[in-house]
Amino acid sequence: MPERNTASLRAEARAERPDVVKRRVDRMEAELRGIDRRLARLAPGPSLVREQYEGDRAVLLERIKGDQELLEQARAEGRFGQYSKDNVHQYDLVRIRGQWRQVARANAKTVSVTTGYTWTDKYGWEEVRALRCAHVEDAKQAPAER
């Protein structure tokens, strides 16, 4: 029984990590756009289908709002959103999933890193945990990897 408790606590802690919350918000926003498209295709006037879509939409908006508040709190604490294409450059080193990788490209939503092969891997900015960069003064003060 104690194993279940620790597994449950671990799963709950993971669900509240900023990178996981960001991916969840992105998924819910995509789902919201899909609901909006379906609502636009419906014939005007009251219907049970419209009521269901509007209810689903209201729930999604509430969940997105709550998760965005978690992200804002993490940003204020400096645990999320400190790296972007504005402060990460080609050939800088970023720490992603416990490894230091060299940046091949920095895009608006993703960073491409070298793999040691002929291809690159692409990660969202929420995955970047630390930065080693001669261009940024606070690069050496990056938070430690968990």
Side-chain angles (χ1 to χ4, degrees), residues 74-125:
R75 263 191 200 97
E77 294 170 357
R79 296 183 299 126
F80 177 74
Q82 49 192 343
Y83 305 111
S84 69
K85 72 174 188 170
D86 298 328
N87 59 357
V88 177
H89 310 93
Q90 188 175 19
Y91 307 118
D92 289 347
L93 294 175
V94 291
R95 188 163 177 89
I96 297 176
R97 298 185 180 180
Q99 296 180 344
W100 288 100
R101 311 280 291 277
Q102 188 177 44
V103 175
R105 277 182 310 282
N107 301 313
K109 293 186 178 184
T110 61
V111 60
S112 297
V113 294
T114 58
T115 60
Y117 299 101
T118 57
W119 63 85
T120 59
D121 287 340
K122 190 186 298 187
Y123 296 97
W125 287 111

Side-chain angles (χ1 to χ4, degrees), residues 1 38 40 43 78 103 106-107 112 133 135:
M1 192 64 134
R38 283 175 278 198
V103 175
N107 301 313
S112 297
C133 172
H135 304 97

Side-chain angles (χ1 to χ4, degrees), residues 5-6 20 94:
N5 290 341
T6 56
V20 175
V94 291

Side-chain angles (χ1 to χ4, degrees), residues 32-100:
L32 184 64
R33 289 189 301 270
I35 288 173
D36 288 343
R37 283 191 301 272
R38 283 175 278 198
L39 276 170
R41 286 194 303 254
L42 286 177
S47 73
L48 292 175
V49 173
R50 180 177 296 280
E51 285 181 34
Q52 180 66 44
Y53 283 151
E54 288 172 351
D56 291 346
R57 188 177 191 284
V59 168
L60 271 176
L61 285 172
E62 192 65 31
R63 290 181 63 201
I64 289 170
K65 180 182 173 192
D67 282 348
Q68 285 175 336
E69 288 172 359
L70 285 174
L71 288 177
E72 288 304 317
Q73 181 181 1
R75 263 191 200 97
E77 294 170 357
R79 296 183 299 126
F80 177 74
Q82 49 192 343
Y83 305 111
S84 69
K85 72 174 188 170
D86 298 328
N87 59 357
V88 177
H89 310 93
Q90 188 175 19
Y91 307 118
D92 289 347
L93 294 175
V94 291
R95 188 163 177 89
I96 297 176
R97 298 185 180 180
Q99 296 180 344
W100 288 100

